[in-house]
Amino acid sequence: MGNISLRFERGSGVLLHPTSLPGPDGIGDLGDGAYRFIDWLQSAQQRYWQVMPLVPTGYGDSPYAATSAFAGNPLLISLDILTGDGLLDPHAFRNTPFSDRQVNFTGASAHKLRALRASYERFLNLNDDTRCQEFREFQAREAAWLDDFALFAALKAENNEQSWLDWPDDVRYRRPEALQAARERLAPEIGFQTFCQWLFRRQWVNLRAYANDRGISIIGDIPIFVALDSADVWANPSVFRLNPDLTPIAVAGVPPDYFSATGQRWGNPLYDWAAMEKDDFAWWIARFRATLDIVDIARIDHFRGFAANWSVPASENTAENGWWDRGPGRDLFESVYRHIPTARIIVEDLGLITPDVIALREELDLPGMAVLQFAFDGDPGNAYLPHNVIENSVIYSGTHDNQTTVG
């Protein structure tokens, strides 16, 4: 069986998450700062803009601890664009105390959610037939994930943002009559959450088109694991390895290494790969499709987990006592390319990489990562020295575990 991936044209780019852009509302967004950044990329003859996951953040404000692997982060919505679209009072929410150089997650969240709720009220009162139709079409098109996410977010608000594992049993276990009652009881909040997703998608689609028109491709990000406290696990418990009470049997992490003597216990629930294989990895196909609908290229974080992942008993406080569980390997990616033949993928293949991981990446002909800061240890055979880097690689100056190159 031959290679199945798509090769890339050579080019350079910049990794910058939109939250790091300058903006007036305590956090970078999809407004003027993002458009000016794209103009700069074009003037610098760059070809790629890489972003972190564009998802709603959960614990620690991290895009790698998201409340959904499919939804967009409402904090990235530009209030200036809403004002220009007539969906926000031009005189409201403009006198802010925020710095344009430092993100204030707590302050920005409170400020933006107030503005977004005001925008939703204005939208309902305007009763604009064209935009209402666009909104309804978005709801219908994205219903497969949007309905569960909006209900999850509404229930989370009703339960003081507690984890879904601490909700009343009837909604924790998704009993149909309880879910129907919740949809009726929480209809206004569900409408608001859906509205925010529509706004995010409208603004992002326009921004991406602006980038593509200027020769800039967007590289998105797919973390292999999802957060336990997410709509993904709550709505799809059958594809995760959970106990009857829906708590994880084991969780993800990495074993002890150079960076940590006790390893890293990430706490993400693990997939039930055997269950996923029975429906041809439908959940993963939906996830790849949702990501590749909004970006041009998907980077897979922790690719080695598809060969084997470090499993830690949920009762353990560190990642020292774990074992390697075999992943789905080539089978999953064959399914992805059957369903999405034009998928363009790069993989993060750093860390404890064993021969099976290298073999899987080479078999799939997927570009991996090389890190310049790892290159100069005096070993002429170092694989990351520029003249040793293999073809079909993506070269980064450093990683999130490194000091910046300037630093």
Side-chain angles (χ1 to χ4, degrees), residues 290-354:
T291 301
L292 290 166
D293 276 349
I294 64 170
V295 300
D296 303 297
I297 301 159
R299 168 195 174 270
I300 299 175
D301 190 55
H302 200 62
F303 172 74
R304 73 106 51 245
F306 291 102
N309 63 263
W310 188 247
S311 300
V312 182
S315 58
E316 293 283 334
N317 293 321
T318 73
E320 293 172 276
N321 298 315
W323 64 91
W324 289 106
D325 266 338
R326 187 176 177 183
R330 184 184 177 100
D331 291 347
L332 182 143
F333 290 93
E334 286 184 333
S335 180
V336 168
Y337 283 107
R338 272 199 308 274
H339 291 276
I340 316 171
T342 58
R344 303 176 71 200
I345 298 169
I346 63 178
V347 299
E348 180 267 301
D349 56 347
L350 305 176
L352 181 60
I353 301 303
T354 46

Side-chain angles (χ1 to χ4, degrees), residues 1 11 15 25 30 60 71 110 139 158 160 165 174 182 189-190 193 195 201 205 216 218 226 248 292 310 343 353 379:
M1 200 173 294
L15 189 160
D25 295 298
L30 307 181
Q139 289 176 278
E158 183 181 54
N160 299 313
L165 287 168
R174 294 179 59 83
E189 182 66 17
I190 290 170
Q193 295 292 340
F195 175 73
R201 185 63 64 88
V205 165
I216 310 296
I218 308 290
V226 298
L292 290 166
W310 188 247
I353 301 303
D379 177 6

Side-chain angles (χ1 to χ4, degrees), residues 10 16 41 43 64 117 124 150-151 165 216 229 281 334 337-338 358 365 398:
R10 185 170 182 170
L16 176 97
L41 288 173
S43 69
Y64 295 92
R117 290 188 186 280
L124 294 176
L151 177 57
L165 287 168
I216 310 296
D229 187 21
F281 303 100
E334 286 184 333
Y337 283 107
R338 272 199 308 274
I358 297 170
D365 196 31

Side-chain angles (χ1 to χ4, degrees), residues 96-120:
T96 63
F98 301 114
S99 162
D100 64 357
R101 293 184 170 271
Q102 183 127 10
V103 174
N104 178 341
F105 284 104
T106 302
S109 179
H111 166 68
K112 282 208 154 179
L113 287 176
R114 283 195 301 271
L116 290 171
R117 290 188 186 280
S119 179
Y120 182 48

Side-chain angles (χ1 to χ4, degrees), residues 30-339:
L30 307 181
D32 182 62
Y35 284 86
R36 286 191 288 113
F37 178 65
I38 291 169
D39 290 341
W40 176 83
L41 288 173
Q42 182 187 29
S43 69
Q45 299 183 345
Q46 301 302 291
R47 297 280 301 281
Y48 300 103
W49 176 15
Q50 182 173 334
V51 297
M52 302 303 183
L54 297 167
V55 289
T57 58
Y59 177 76
D61 301 306
S62 170
Y64 295 92
T67 54
S68 169
F70 293 80
N73 187 348
L75 297 187
L76 293 177
I77 296 169
S78 164
L79 302 187
D80 285 342
I81 291 178
L82 290 188
T83 301
D85 287 345
L87 291 174
L88 195 63
D89 183 341
H91 304 295
F93 306 103
R94 291 297 75 198
N95 294 321
T96 63
F98 301 114
S99 162
D100 64 357
R101 293 184 170 271
Q102 183 127 10
V103 174
N104 178 341
F105 284 104
T106 302
S109 179
H111 166 68
K112 282 208 154 179
L113 287 176
R114 283 195 301 271
L116 290 171
R117 290 188 186 280
S119 179
Y120 182 48
E121 186 175 347
R122 190 180 182 95
F123 170 75
L124 294 176
N125 290 333
L126 284 172
N127 201 24
D128 181 317
D129 289 343
T130 301
R131 280 195 281 212
C132 284
Q133 178 64 22
E134 183 188 335
F135 183 39
R136 286 192 294 269
E137 289 173 356
F138 170 76
Q139 289 176 278
R141 189 171 60 249
E142 305 297 331
W145 65 267
L146 181 60
D147 289 354
D148 277 322
F149 170 73
L151 177 57
F152 174 85
L155 281 165
K156 202 163 173 60
E158 183 181 54
N159 287 278
N160 299 313
E161 300 300 325
Q162 290 184 96
S163 166
W164 64 269
L165 287 168
D166 297 320
W167 294 354
D169 284 354
D170 58 352
V171 287
R172 169 178 172 154
Y173 290 100
R174 294 179 59 83
R175 292 169 184 151
E177 65 280 3
L179 295 188
Q180 183 55 38
R183 288 188 187 99
E184 294 171 7
R185 181 177 72 253
L186 302 173
E189 182 66 17
I190 290 170
F192 169 68
Q193 295 292 340
T194 306
F195 175 73
C196 288
Q197 291 306 309
W198 175 61
L199 292 181
F200 169 84
R201 185 63 64 88
R202 288 178 98 229
Q203 292 192 6
W204 175 257
V205 165
N206 289 337
L207 182 67
R208 178 192 175 192
Y210 187 85
N212 290 168
D213 288 346
R214 283 150 185 78
I216 310 296
S217 295
I218 308 290
I219 302 175
D221 201 287
I222 300 180
I224 182 173
F225 298 116
V226 298
L228 175 60
D229 187 21
S230 67
D232 309 297
V233 183
W234 176 69
N236 306 280
S238 64
V239 299
F240 295 91
R241 292 177 53 205
L242 306 176
N243 292 303
D245 68 353
L246 302 182
T247 57
I249 296 169
V251 296
V254 291
D257 60 12
Y258 173 81
F259 291 104
S260 173
T262 57
Q264 298 177 38
R265 183 192 184 281
W266 296 335
N268 309 81
L270 299 174
Y271 299 107
D272 186 335
W273 292 119
M276 286 186 153
E277 191 171 12
K278 290 177 182 175
D279 65 2
D280 199 23
F281 303 100
W283 185 88
W284 269 101
I285 301 306
R287 189 178 183 192
F288 269 99
R289 182 170 281 125
T291 301
L292 290 166
D293 276 349
I294 64 170
V295 300
D296 303 297
I297 301 159
R299 168 195 174 270
I300 299 175
D301 190 55
H302 200 62
F303 172 74
R304 73 106 51 245
F306 291 102
N309 63 263
W310 188 247
S311 300
V312 182
S315 58
E316 293 283 334
N317 293 321
T318 73
E320 293 172 276
N321 298 315
W323 64 91
W324 289 106
D325 266 338
R326 187 176 177 183
R330 184 184 177 100
D331 291 347
L332 182 143
F333 290 93
E334 286 184 333
S335 180
V336 168
Y337 283 107
R338 272 199 308 274
H339 291 276

